[in-house]
Amino acid sequence: MSKTALPKGIHRVKKATAAGVVRYHYVCRGGPKFWDSNSQVVEGSLAYLAAYRQANTSAAEAARTHRANEMLTPDAMDEYRRSIHYRKLNARTKADYEKYMTNFEAEFAEDPIKLFEEEESLAEIIAWQNQWAHSPRMYDYSTQVIRRFLNRMRKSGVIKRHFFHDIEAVYRVNRAHLCWKPEEIAAVLKVATPAEMRIVVAMSEGGLAPADVGRLNRGHIEKTPKARRLLLDRGKSGQPTAIAATPAIEDLIDTMDDDQWLIVPALSGGRLTPERAAQIVRDLIHRANADGVIRVRPELRPYDMRGTAATALLRAGCGLNEIAVAMGWSIRHASKMIEHYARLIPEVTDEILEKLERAKASANVFDGDDKDV
């Protein structure tokens, strides 16, 4: 093999000895020696290249070990942020992650990442998590974020192991039985201002979560062969969602001002945040219960309107696959949500279940693979 085919970066040194000049080859300047001219190996031969590769691998491993031994937790967190596994997350998820990541690196700012190879570090992480003991949901989310970070450090070779796995979740909730009744939605609409009504309609008719309502804008409006629809990617999951323009949704679009970009703006006219949307619904529940004869259950949340919207689509003749696309659900989940709603509203149980069974048969929901849409 010619010298032109040799690896780049080899550091060559000549030394005069009593027996003559001896040539030494190193993987790089300051790196390990892998060949000298006194050896029986011919320069450029397959054996020469094999010796280079072995020495280069050993040098790289030594460099990684040294780097890991010297790396502090904030440096490791920055490396995680540069990884494809973090960069591929959507903007909303990154923002959620950062709340815990920046807090974690501040807590362990002076500690080497190697600390988490020790079993005792588990107690230190749990002690850090206790700042969210008041919120089981936030506590579990911190578990998810830090476990993924440490898993990535282990898989990339920065640490050899960690003990922050098999952590039992503390947040348990089943809201499947909670679904807005038609009269409850009517009650909050009765006490709502026009701006507040737009929020309730987008959630109850479009099945939108608080995180997506404030994102709706003119760019999401699409013409269809017969009418219009709203087409957007859900902010949290990135799943495409097509919302049919029901008469109420049509009214949202048609009553926009000419210079209005957001379909459902905040009450002040700016961008509606998820937290504010949820608070507005809570306020409406309180006002409806104070002024009306129909009691709205205070435990209801905006997200619970999604089952109502899905069932309305079924009653309008949509198939399960169409409902799944509109809601950003799997077909199986759409089916379960509608069944829960049917149990909640006795007067429409027979009608809903009959249509649901026909929709299941048409979609073959229990026969094939159920994919998220």
Side-chain angles (χ1 to χ4, degrees):
M1 180 176 291
S2 65
K3 289 186 178 181
T4 57
L6 296 181
K8 296 180 179 180
I10 294 176
H11 183 57
R12 296 172 172 81
V13 176
K14 293 182 180 180
K15 290 186 180 180
T17 67
V21 175
V22 179
R23 292 177 293 128
Y24 299 91
H25 287 189
Y26 299 81
V27 168
C28 59
R29 185 180 294 274
K33 179 176 75 71
F34 70 93
W35 179 86
D36 64 66
S37 56
N38 285 332
S39 72
Q40 301 299 313
V41 176
V42 177
E43 180 180 356
S45 66
L46 292 177
Y48 173 92
L49 294 175
Y52 169 83
R53 286 193 292 269
Q54 182 177 356
N56 190 47
T57 299
S58 298
E61 180 61 31
R64 280 195 297 270
T65 300
H66 176 75
R67 181 174 63 89
N69 288 338
E70 298 295 324
M71 184 183 292
L72 295 178
T73 298
D75 299 323
M77 194 70 79
D78 285 340
E79 181 164 314
Y80 174 57
R81 290 186 179 99
R82 290 190 294 269
S83 71
I84 184 62
H85 305 277
Y86 177 80
R87 291 165 58 190
K88 73 178 183 180
L89 299 175
N90 63 46
R92 169 72 187 281
T93 302
K94 285 180 182 177
D96 290 341
Y97 272 38
E98 282 297 335
K99 296 174 186 177
Y100 301 94
M101 289 166 57
T102 55
N103 190 299
F104 186 83
E105 60 186 347
E107 176 71 19
F108 298 98
E110 299 181 359
D111 294 309
I113 190 63
K114 285 288 188 179
L115 165 72
F116 303 106
E117 291 184 339
E118 306 298 328
E119 188 171 3
E120 291 76 13
S121 67
L122 179 59
E124 295 192 39
I125 297 176
I126 292 176
W128 166 78
Q129 283 187 289
N130 282 336
Q131 63 185 295
W132 293 292
H134 65 284
S135 172
R137 192 171 188 175
M138 295 176 69
Y139 188 97
D140 283 351
Y141 204 91
S142 70
T143 298
Q144 173 186 324
V145 172
I146 301 309
R147 182 169 54 223
R148 288 189 177 183
F149 160 63
L150 292 176
N151 282 344
R152 180 46 41 196
M153 291 300 98
R154 178 179 59 81
K155 290 178 181 179
S156 62
V158 174
I159 57 177
K160 294 180 180 179
R161 61 179 181 175
H162 72 82
F163 292 87
F164 197 61
H165 45 74
D166 299 328
I167 306 299
E168 183 179 359
V170 296
Y171 180 66
R172 292 285 187 273
V173 65
N174 179 11
R175 301 187 63 82
H177 66 290
L178 291 173
C179 192
W180 288 71
K181 299 178 181 180
E183 59 267 28
E184 290 174 315
I185 292 176
V188 296
L189 286 174
K190 183 178 179 180
V191 299
T193 66
E196 292 170 335
M197 288 177 65
R198 301 182 72 86
I199 298 170
V200 176
V201 168
M203 292 179 180
S204 60
E205 293 275 335
L208 288 171
D212 293 315
V213 170
R215 296 173 52 239
L216 279 179
N217 58 61
R218 287 186 181 273
H220 295 131
I221 303 173
E222 271 198 353
K223 288 186 177 181
T224 64
K226 296 183 179 180
R228 288 178 291 185
R229 70 176 182 175
L230 298 175
L231 184 65
L232 72 157
D233 292 339
R234 293 203 177 272
K236 184 71 173 180
S237 66
Q239 294 285 2
T241 300
I243 300 170
T246 63
I249 296 293
E250 288 274 10
D251 189 61
L252 288 185
I253 298 172
D254 293 338
T255 55
M256 294 173 66
D257 294 335
D258 292 339
D259 60 348
Q260 182 177 331
W261 175 248
L262 295 171
I263 297 177
V264 186
L267 303 186
S268 60
R271 174 74 176 268
L272 178 68
T273 65
E275 295 79 13
R276 183 60 182 140
Q279 183 59 53
I280 288 170
V281 173
R282 287 194 291 269
D283 292 343
L284 287 173
I285 292 174
H286 178 75
R287 279 152 48 193
N289 285 337
D291 300 335
V293 295
I294 297 175
R295 182 178 181 276
V296 182
R297 289 163 292 163
E299 65 267 27
L300 290 172
R301 299 291 182 266
Y303 230 100
D304 303 326
M305 293 182 184
R306 288 165 60 75
T308 310
T311 304
L313 291 174
L314 180 71
R315 298 181 73 187
C318 294
L320 281 177
N321 58 332
E322 295 169 306
I323 296 171
V325 170
M327 306 303 295
W329 292 338
S330 70
I331 294 176
R332 187 180 296 274
H333 184 68
S335 172
K336 288 181 179 179
M337 286 297 295
I338 292 169
E339 285 182 304
H340 282 299
Y341 185 90
R343 297 190 188 101
L344 183 67
I345 314 295
E347 59 269 26
V348 297
T349 295
D350 293 341
E351 173 204 353
I352 291 176
L353 291 181
E354 182 181 346
K355 289 186 176 182
L356 181 60
E357 288 305 316
R358 290 200 300 267
K360 284 181 182 179
S362 176
N364 292 322
V365 68
F366 298 122
D367 295 335
D369 291 334
D370 182 29
K371 303 291 186 183
D372 285 343
V373 296

